[in-house]
Amino acid sequence: MLGYLGPEGTFTHEALISLNLDDTTQAYSSVGECLDAVRAGQVSAGMVPIENSVEGVVTATSDSISNGDPLQIRAEVLLPVVFGLYVRPGTQLADVRHVITHPHAAAQVRHWLAEKLPQAEITEKGSTAAAAQEVSHKDSSYDAAICSTGAGELYGLTAAASGIADNPNAVTRFILVSRPFTPEEPCGHDKTSLVVYLNDDHPGGLMEVLDQFSLRGINLCRIESRPAKDKMGNYHFSIDAEGHVAERRLQEALMGLHRTCRDVVFLGSYARADQVAQSVKESVRDVDFEEADTWMSRILHPGFRGVSPQE
Amino acid sequence: MLGYLGPEGTFTHEALISLNLDDTTQAYSSVGECLDAVRAGQVSAGMVPIENSVEGVVTATSDSISNGDPLQIRAEVLLPVVFGLYVRPGTQLADVRHVITHPHAAAQVRHWLAEKLPQAEITEKGSTAAAAQEVSHKDSSYDAAICSTGAGELYGLTAAASGIADNPNAVTRFILVSRPFTPEEPCGHDKTSLVVYLNDDHPGGLMEVLDQFSLRGINLCRIESRPAKDKMGNYHFSIDAEGHVAERRLQEALMGLHRTCRDVVFLGSYARADQVAQSVKESVRDVDFEEADTWMSRILHPGFRGVSPQE
Amino acid sequence: MLGYLGPEGTFTHEALISLNLDDTTQAYSSVGECLDAVRAGQVSAGMVPIENSVEGVVTATSDSISNGDPLQIRAEVLLPVVFGLYVRPGTQLADVRHVITHPHAAAQVRHWLAEKLPQAEITEKGSTAAAAQEVSHKDSSYDAAICSTGAGELYGLTAAASGIADNPNAVTRFILVSRPFTPEEPCGHDKTSLVVYLNDDHPGGLMEVLDQFSLRGINLCRIESRPAKDKMGNYHFSIDAEGHVAERRLQEALMGLHRTCRDVVFLGSYARADQVAQSVKESVRDVDFEEADTWMSRILHPGFRGVSPQE
Amino acid sequence: MLGYLGPEGTFTHEALISLNLDDTTQAYSSVGECLDAVRAGQVSAGMVPIENSVEGVVTATSDSISNGDPLQIRAEVLLPVVFGLYVRPGTQLADVRHVITHPHAAAQVRHWLAEKLPQAEITEKGSTAAAAQEVSHKDSSYDAAICSTGAGELYGLTAAASGIADNPNAVTRFILVSRPFTPEEPCGHDKTSLVVYLNDDHPGGLMEVLDQFSLRGINLCRIESRPAKDKMGNYHFSIDAEGHVAERRLQEALMGLHRTCRDVVFLGSYARADQVAQSVKESVRDVDFEEADTWMSRILHPGFRGVSPQE
């Protein structure tokens, strides 16, 4: 069974369906509950949102995934963000006073709301689908939900406005996580996710982290600082790097970070949803590492040279 | 006149009061409105929240300040975050079903709420003081506000619970901004704030940015990546560096960034609220730069050597 | 009057002639004497050898030029190294037992000598031309000189063998030095020579030196470590960098070195003999520095914005 | 049998004797011949000079050792340089006109000669001991040899002047080399010698080489550029690094160089003659590498966690 941030009809639900996995599904009402169910083994994996291109990382997911029993990413999914203002049949746009939605959705339609519904009061709900469900009650105190078409239709609402996202190119990224497992084989467009905690907050620390990657010819897809919970001015870094932990260059870089940083949390190696193929430059391919192993072992054991009588 | 993110009684209001400025004040109902009033010259400066140690940068402030007509930071203030659950006199904790507050406050009492009021529905409001004001109406549909003692008392509420922040060390940082002005004299514990837009998203770009600082012996207090609005995977960086733009080392580093980055927004040089004194290492003091100027001018104009008949 | 490492007929003499300078010349019998004459004002400039592609830097020149009163390079000349074995008319190759030449010439014909004259004893002389002059005395105890065609002919010798340099591509580099002067205008294929003394011998020191150049987009043509005279394991660096000290990027890099290193000796900006044009990347052209100056002065004096009524 | 740069009485001979090795010895008349004898197996090891603190690397040794069949350094020896002017009994200092010595010795007494024997002609000989031997012939055309006390006495000469080296702190470094062998155990003050050929002459290349060391916390004792024989402006680097190839940090750095450089020649890991103990910082000790291995193997094979029934 697979979990997801529900209820039915959320973008997260759509993301899970898009993977065409042949399994039953179970909705959870928060990211935390979904990940807890994964950790407890109640579901084999769970789909949760991790980032959108307007607000950045989804804080709750990012924090939950790297604290507590280890979890590992199996897959990522990218979905375009398409919002509408959904109302009970009969409600007019001009009548809308109380709007309910998820805070990230609110952030992504801020300008539209300021222009079209400047007087509306916005109430926060755990998901856009839950907001749609709330509005679907005929005695709800809310007039409209900002949600996806799928959620609006699922709960019998009609669109008072559609395509209302401020940025038509906005995309949300979702991840499917499960308990630790042997990473799957590299596919050629792989990505590795990490959280890195620096040993202290000396500024050179971040340069050293970046150097561990660049010296092994590894490009970063994303790096974000996150404040530590305990102290202003103390940060850790959430990093997506090109490549797969089965590759020698990634292994050496990750072990370099492990040796020099306070903590490194491995969150998985998996196929990039955007399928951008990686180019591994000469000198950091697995074959280059193996060739260097051979060279080093001849230095350490020169007696093995010339063992063969034919040489 | 000075603006602030109101209404009266917000943490931001407390931050403004703490500066003991001898001026009238004006509350604004959102960060955007407050900054617009500064830009329009309706107030000479405005106080807004910029960062808290749990959720990180306040997105709305960070985005508003670096987009639009230029603004510049005059001062920063740090306040400890102390929240209570404030209700109309007579309401019992056990009766609380509908809670209203600011989303960042909600995030900072998440665990307390999950434990003590697991069934409560949380509604988002523009500020914790506005939430207290809402609850103060005797026919409000909300039972409680999460807000500061100041705001609770201001609106005649009583504390159903106090000290409810999950992290007792949480701190919020506020900034006082105005239109561009000649930065004040350095005080010895100065800080300079910038937003840096990289030329493209090659990973080495961030290392080059960090190198512009480290080669001039400048420590960073904070660096945060922010996603660009337009494209997943495109980032800019919000940076607080030690030191003051009146120092030569800062000038050279900032001009280096200006030459090599797509854009650099200068947000001000001002006294650090934590008053941590900076140590400027030999070789990057102003006197070292001046000495190097003299050396270079002798290289370019060696004829000036020996001008003096005594030499 | 111009000095050169003589006597007449040396490669250095040829190098000086190749510049077509309209002035009288004076030969000196050692690099040190030639440079002393420049320092004393007895000649306006002096030509000396500085590097050959087999043995590297000419130690005597390199040391003399950077110690003592300052000298500055005006021009460089590259000459192919073409050696012959020159004898008094009548002497046969098979009879040659005692050979005299300059040590660098000896090094460059080492293999030829080992093969053709394995029994010959080699004696060191201050220059190849002086060696030819020595052999020209009919009662000389030397049978042959290794020298250039010019020197051989000048002293009435004949070639027992020619084209005997082990490496037919060998080149020697000469420099014309004078007392400090305002460097000439950049010509587009300029080079700047320096000697850099590190503050101490920490290994990061060299990386910092290189970083001063690379952060300003400056390529190095050559870097050589030279042992300090006083202590094993203590080094300074002789550097040729692309570009001219009249360029802002060079000025900032040199001043950065001056601020952070124990000492920096400027040896001149001059046209590269190989005429390889430099490419200055965007962000470090003079126009980029000037644009950054303007930007910084607006930060420091924002009142100047909009002063003009036309703006 | 052990070879050395002879004849008997050279500094190199003294260096070999100082090791107290219980073996017969064989003098060779040049560094090349000595190393050839090692390569051919005629001697089990050979002692040769590699560096002095005035002239730097002994070119002939440095080139011979890294070209041809591989050789490996077993030990290094440091000797103070103490020169005297040795003559046949009866010769007075004032009578000395023709002096014979090794070119490096000449360089190290240059100032003394200029002051005391300005008219003397200096002839080059393969070693200072051979020069003494030459002078010892009663019909020699040379009046004096510059050599060590040992060599002067060995050949029956007397000192016309002693302690004549310009720099009383000058030291010469000698190395004992043999055919490749399994390096001995680390002793805590180890050194590793390499020659590194860059892939091309882009200036960033040297920074990358240095970074391979610094990222693994390895200090360099010495780095010298050497011009390539074939092309002006093309360099390789001779490097002595702290530490022993049996250490994981050295192995990873060397393999990193092997992967990214055109060629890397390993010249040995051996005890430093100056016995300066190395300090290996936390994060690059062998135990840190092993701990990182364990961590990585749990990432790659998470199933192995919890194998133990007690867990």
Side-chain angles (χ1 to χ4, degrees):
Chain A
M1 190 157 63
L2 304 168
Y4 65 93
L5 174 64
E8 218 183 322
T10 54
F11 284 109
T12 312
H13 191 196
E14 284 183 33
L16 181 57
I17 289 168
S18 77
L19 288 180
N20 290 314
L21 301 171
D22 185 20
D23 205 342
T24 56
T25 61
Q26 170 69 42
Y28 290 91
S29 62
S30 75
V31 167
E33 285 174 48
C34 182
L35 297 180
D36 285 348
V38 175
R39 285 185 168 107
Q42 292 158 5
V43 292
S44 62
M47 180 71 80
V48 290
I50 181 66
E51 186 185 11
N52 74 57
S53 69
V54 174
E55 290 296 298
V57 159
V58 177
T59 307
T61 305
S62 176
D63 288 352
S64 298
I65 204 174
S66 57
N67 293 304
D69 288 338
L71 292 173
Q72 194 169 319
I73 301 171
R74 276 194 177 283
E76 72 168 356
V77 174
L78 292 175
L79 285 189
V81 170
V82 181
F83 286 118
L85 185 80
Y86 280 83
V87 295
R88 286 180 297 278
T91 307
Q92 300 303 312
L93 179 58
D95 303 332
V96 172
R97 288 290 171 278
H98 293 93
V99 175
I100 188 163
T101 192
H102 184 269
H104 283 113
Q108 296 187 51
V109 300
R110 196 176 279 154
H111 291 128
W112 186 88
L113 283 174
E115 189 188 342
K116 303 293 187 181
L117 294 174
Q119 309 303 333
E121 179 170 280
I122 311 302
T123 297
E124 183 184 31
K125 193 80 185 176
S127 76
T128 54
Q133 191 175 28
E134 164 66 39
V135 172
S136 71
H137 301 141
K138 65 176 182 297
D139 56 349
S140 169
S141 59
Y142 301 100
D143 305 315
I146 293 163
C147 63
S148 70
T149 307
E153 290 176 352
L154 184 69
Y155 294 103
L157 305 179
T158 61
S162 58
I164 66 175
D166 295 332
N167 177 355
N169 302 318
V171 163
T172 297
R173 192 160 72 92
F174 302 87
I175 50 175
L176 182 70
V177 302
S178 64
R179 288 193 286 186
F181 56 95
T182 299
E184 309 201 7
E185 291 289 299
C187 68
H189 51 272
D190 305 283
K191 190 154 126 180
T192 295
S193 294
L194 301 171
V195 181
V196 173
Y197 298 79
L198 296 190
N199 247 324
D200 45 39
D201 62 341
H202 70 289
L206 178 55
M207 285 193 79
E208 272 175 48
V209 166
L210 299 178
D211 203 13
Q212 296 280 2
F213 290 102
S214 72
L215 195 69
R216 280 88 178 198
I218 300 167
N219 293 319
L220 299 189
C221 314
R222 187 179 63 84
I223 177 163
E224 291 209 53
S225 52
R226 297 268 315 134
K229 295 279 180 203
D230 50 351
K231 200 181 131 203
M232 188 72 116
N234 207 348
Y235 292 83
H236 57 262
F237 294 90
S238 169
I239 292 172
D240 288 351
E242 268 189 25
H244 193 285
V245 73
E247 293 176 68
R248 289 286 298 274
R249 59 184 185 136
L250 262 288
Q251 290 172 13
E252 198 179 284
L254 267 61
M255 289 192 288
L257 292 170
H258 182 82
R259 285 187 288 101
T260 54
C261 296
R262 186 156 55 83
D263 199 10
V264 180
V265 178
F266 172 75
L267 294 180
S269 288
Y270 50 93
R272 297 174 65 149
D274 60 12
Q275 304 202 338
V276 173
Q278 61 184 321
S279 64
V280 183
K281 70 175 177 183
E282 222 177 296
S283 83
V284 294
R285 299 164 305 178
D286 277 5
V287 67
D288 301 310
F289 278 89
E290 283 151 22
E291 213 271 315
D293 289 344
T294 305
W295 176 75
M296 179 51 64
S297 105
R298 279 190 184 151
I299 285 174
L300 297 175
H301 308 290
F304 290 157
R305 273 198 280 217
V307 159
S308 150
Q310 288 87 344
E311 275 194 26
Chain B
M1 191 158 64
L2 304 166
Y4 65 93
L5 174 64
E8 220 184 320
T10 53
F11 284 109
T12 312
H13 190 199
E14 285 184 31
L16 182 57
I17 290 166
S18 77
L19 287 179
N20 290 314
L21 302 172
D22 186 20
D23 205 341
T24 57
T25 60
Q26 169 71 41
Y28 290 90
S29 62
S30 74
V31 167
E33 284 174 47
C34 183
L35 297 179
D36 284 349
V38 175
R39 285 187 167 106
Q42 293 159 5
V43 292
S44 62
M47 180 71 83
V48 289
I50 180 66
E51 186 185 12
N52 74 57
S53 71
V54 174
E55 290 295 300
V57 159
V58 177
T59 308
T61 306
S62 176
D63 287 351
S64 296
I65 204 173
S66 57
N67 292 305
D69 287 338
L71 291 172
Q72 194 169 318
I73 301 171
R74 275 194 179 282
E76 71 168 358
V77 174
L78 292 176
L79 285 188
V81 170
V82 182
F83 285 118
L85 185 80
Y86 281 83
V87 295
R88 287 179 298 277
T91 307
Q92 301 302 314
L93 180 58
D95 301 332
V96 172
R97 288 290 172 277
H98 293 93
V99 175
I100 188 163
T101 193
H102 185 270
H104 283 115
Q108 296 188 52
V109 300
R110 196 177 278 154
H111 291 129
W112 186 89
L113 283 174
E115 189 188 340
K116 304 292 187 182
L117 293 173
Q119 309 303 332
E121 178 170 283
I122 311 302
T123 296
E124 182 184 31
K125 194 78 183 174
S127 75
T128 55
Q133 191 177 29
E134 164 67 41
V135 172
S136 71
H137 300 142
K138 65 178 185 291
D139 56 349
S140 168
S141 58
Y142 301 101
D143 305 315
I146 294 163
C147 62
S148 70
T149 307
E153 290 176 352
L154 184 70
Y155 294 103
L157 305 180
T158 61
S162 58
I164 67 175
D166 296 332
N167 177 356
N169 301 318
V171 163
T172 297
R173 191 160 73 91
F174 302 86
I175 50 176
L176 183 69
V177 303
S178 64
R179 288 192 287 186
F181 56 96
T182 298
E184 310 200 8
E185 291 289 297
C187 68
H189 50 271
D190 305 284
K191 189 153 123 178
T192 295
S193 294
L194 301 171
V195 181
V196 174
Y197 297 79
L198 296 190
N199 247 323
D200 46 39
D201 62 343
H202 71 289
L206 178 55
M207 285 193 81
E208 273 174 46
V209 166
L210 299 177
D211 203 13
Q212 296 280 3
F213 290 102
S214 71
L215 194 70
R216 280 88 177 199
I218 300 167
N219 291 320
L220 300 189
C221 313
R222 186 179 64 82
I223 178 164
E224 291 210 52
S225 53
R226 298 269 314 133
K229 294 278 178 205
D230 50 351
K231 199 181 131 200
M232 188 72 118
N234 206 349
Y235 293 84
H236 57 265
F237 294 90
S238 170
I239 292 173
D240 287 353
E242 268 187 25
H244 193 287
V245 73
E247 294 176 67
R248 289 286 300 273
R249 60 184 185 136
L250 262 288
Q251 289 172 15
E252 196 178 286
L254 266 61
M255 289 192 286
L257 292 170
H258 181 82
R259 285 188 288 99
T260 55
C261 296
R262 186 155 56 83
D263 199 10
V264 179
V265 178
F266 172 74
L267 294 180
S269 288
Y270 51 93
R272 295 174 66 148
D274 60 12
Q275 303 201 339
V276 173
Q278 60 183 319
S279 65
V280 183
K281 71 174 177 183
E282 222 176 295
S283 82
V284 294
R285 300 163 307 177
D286 277 5
V287 67
D288 301 309
F289 278 88
E290 283 150 22
E291 213 272 313
D293 289 343
T294 305
W295 176 75
M296 179 51 64
S297 108
R298 281 193 183 146
I299 285 174
L300 297 175
H301 309 291
F304 290 157
R305 271 198 282 218
V307 159
S308 150
Q310 288 85 344
E311 275 195 25
Chain C
M1 191 157 65
L2 303 167
Y4 65 93
L5 175 64
E8 219 183 323
T10 54
F11 285 110
T12 312
H13 191 197
E14 285 184 30
L16 180 57
I17 290 167
S18 77
L19 288 179
N20 291 312
L21 302 171
D22 185 19
D23 204 343
T24 57
T25 62
Q26 170 71 43
Y28 290 91
S29 63
S30 75
V31 168
E33 285 174 48
C34 183
L35 297 179
D36 285 349
V38 176
R39 286 188 167 105
Q42 293 159 5
V43 291
S44 62
M47 180 71 81
V48 290
I50 181 64
E51 185 185 12
N52 73 56
S53 71
V54 175
E55 289 296 299
V57 159
V58 177
T59 308
T61 306
S62 176
D63 287 353
S64 298
I65 204 174
S66 57
N67 293 304
D69 287 339
L71 292 173
Q72 193 169 319
I73 301 171
R74 276 196 177 282
E76 72 168 358
V77 174
L78 292 175
L79 285 188
V81 171
V82 182
F83 286 117
L85 186 80
Y86 280 82
V87 294
R88 287 180 297 279
T91 308
Q92 301 301 315
L93 180 59
D95 302 331
V96 173
R97 287 288 173 277
H98 293 94
V99 175
I100 188 164
T101 192
H102 186 270
H104 283 115
Q108 297 187 50
V109 300
R110 195 175 280 152
H111 290 128
W112 185 88
L113 283 173
E115 189 187 340
K116 304 291 186 183
L117 293 173
Q119 309 303 333
E121 180 169 281
I122 311 301
T123 297
E124 182 185 32
K125 194 78 184 175
S127 75
T128 54
Q133 192 176 25
E134 164 67 40
V135 173
S136 71
H137 301 140
K138 65 177 183 295
D139 55 350
S140 169
S141 59
Y142 302 100
D143 305 315
I146 294 163
C147 62
S148 70
T149 307
E153 290 176 352
L154 184 69
Y155 295 103
L157 304 179
T158 61
S162 58
I164 67 175
D166 296 332
N167 177 357
N169 301 318
V171 164
T172 297
R173 191 159 74 91
F174 302 87
I175 51 176
L176 182 70
V177 303
S178 64
R179 287 193 287 185
F181 55 96
T182 299
E184 309 201 8
E185 291 289 297
C187 69
H189 51 271
D190 306 284
K191 188 153 123 177
T192 295
S193 293
L194 302 171
V195 181
V196 174
Y197 297 79
L198 296 190
N199 247 323
D200 45 39
D201 63 341
H202 70 289
L206 178 55
M207 285 193 79
E208 272 174 48
V209 166
L210 299 178
D211 202 13
Q212 297 279 4
F213 291 102
S214 72
L215 194 69
R216 280 87 177 198
I218 299 167
N219 292 320
L220 300 189
C221 313
R222 188 179 63 82
I223 177 164
E224 291 211 53
S225 53
R226 296 270 314 135
K229 294 278 178 205
D230 51 352
K231 201 181 130 201
M232 187 73 116
N234 207 349
Y235 293 83
H236 57 264
F237 294 90
S238 169
I239 293 173
D240 286 352
E242 269 188 25
H244 194 285
V245 73
E247 294 176 68
R248 289 286 299 273
R249 59 184 186 136
L250 262 287
Q251 290 173 13
E252 197 178 285
L254 265 61
M255 290 191 286
L257 292 170
H258 182 82
R259 285 188 287 101
T260 55
C261 295
R262 184 155 58 82
D263 199 10
V264 180
V265 178
F266 172 74
L267 294 180
S269 288
Y270 50 94
R272 297 174 66 148
D274 60 11
Q275 305 202 338
V276 173
Q278 60 183 321
S279 65
V280 183
K281 71 175 176 182
E282 223 177 297
S283 84
V284 294
R285 300 163 306 178
D286 278 5
V287 67
D288 301 309
F289 278 89
E290 284 151 22
E291 214 271 314
D293 289 343
T294 305
W295 176 75
M296 179 52 64
S297 103
R298 282 192 181 147
I299 285 173
L300 297 174
H301 309 291
F304 290 156
R305 270 198 281 220
V307 159
S308 151
Q310 289 85 344
E311 274 192 29
Chain D
M1 191 155 63
L2 303 167
Y4 65 94
L5 175 63
E8 220 183 321
T10 55
F11 285 109
T12 312
H13 191 198
E14 285 184 31
L16 181 57
I17 289 167
S18 76
L19 287 180
N20 291 314
L21 301 171
D22 185 19
D23 205 343
T24 57
T25 61
Q26 169 70 43
Y28 290 90
S29 62
S30 75
V31 168
E33 284 174 48
C34 183
L35 297 179
D36 285 348
V38 176
R39 285 187 168 106
Q42 292 159 6
V43 291
S44 63
M47 181 71 82
V48 290
I50 181 65
E51 185 185 12
N52 74 57
S53 72
V54 174
E55 290 295 299
V57 159
V58 178
T59 308
T61 306
S62 176
D63 287 352
S64 297
I65 205 175
S66 57
N67 293 304
D69 288 338
L71 292 172
Q72 194 169 318
I73 301 170
R74 276 197 178 281
E76 71 167 358
V77 174
L78 292 176
L79 285 189
V81 171
V82 182
F83 285 117
L85 185 81
Y86 281 83
V87 296
R88 286 180 297 277
T91 307
Q92 301 302 312
L93 180 57
D95 302 332
V96 172
R97 287 291 173 273
H98 293 95
V99 176
I100 188 165
T101 192
H102 186 269
H104 283 114
Q108 296 188 52
V109 300
R110 195 176 281 154
H111 290 127
W112 186 89
L113 283 174
E115 189 188 341
K116 303 291 187 185
L117 293 173
Q119 308 303 333
E121 179 169 282
I122 312 303
T123 297
E124 181 184 32
K125 193 78 183 175
S127 76
T128 55
Q133 192 175 26
E134 165 66 41
V135 172
S136 70
H137 301 140
K138 65 175 182 296
D139 56 350
S140 170
S141 59
Y142 300 100
D143 308 313
I146 294 162
C147 61
S148 70
T149 307
E153 292 177 351
L154 185 68
Y155 294 103
L157 304 179
T158 61
S162 59
I164 67 174
D166 296 332
N167 177 356
N169 302 317
V171 163
T172 298
R173 192 160 72 91
F174 302 86
I175 51 176
L176 183 69
V177 303
S178 64
R179 288 193 287 186
F181 56 95
T182 299
E184 308 201 9
E185 291 290 298
C187 68
H189 50 272
D190 306 283
K191 189 152 122 178
T192 295
S193 294
L194 301 172
V195 181
V196 174
Y197 298 78
L198 297 189
N199 247 323
D200 45 41
D201 63 342
H202 70 289
L206 178 55
M207 286 193 78
E208 273 175 45
V209 165
L210 299 177
D211 202 13
Q212 296 280 3
F213 291 101
S214 72
L215 195 69
R216 280 88 178 198
I218 301 167
N219 292 319
L220 300 190
C221 313
R222 186 179 64 83
I223 177 164
E224 291 211 52
S225 52
R226 297 269 314 134
K229 295 278 179 204
D230 50 352
K231 200 181 132 201
M232 188 73 119
N234 207 348
Y235 293 83
H236 57 263
F237 294 91
S238 169
I239 292 172
D240 287 352
E242 268 189 26
H244 193 286
V245 73
E247 294 176 69
R248 289 286 299 272
R249 58 183 185 136
L250 262 288
Q251 289 173 14
E252 198 178 284
L254 266 61
M255 290 192 286
L257 292 170
H258 181 82
R259 284 187 288 101
T260 54
C261 296
R262 185 154 57 81
D263 199 10
V264 180
V265 178
F266 173 74
L267 294 180
S269 288
Y270 50 93
R272 296 174 66 148
D274 60 12
Q275 303 202 341
V276 173
Q278 62 184 321
S279 66
V280 183
K281 70 175 178 182
E282 221 176 295
S283 83
V284 294
R285 300 164 305 179
D286 277 5
V287 67
D288 301 311
F289 277 89
E290 283 151 22
E291 214 270 314
D293 288 343
T294 305
W295 176 74
M296 180 51 64
S297 107
R298 280 192 184 147
I299 285 173
L300 296 175
H301 309 290
F304 290 157
R305 270 197 283 221
V307 158
S308 149
Q310 288 85 343
E311 275 193 26

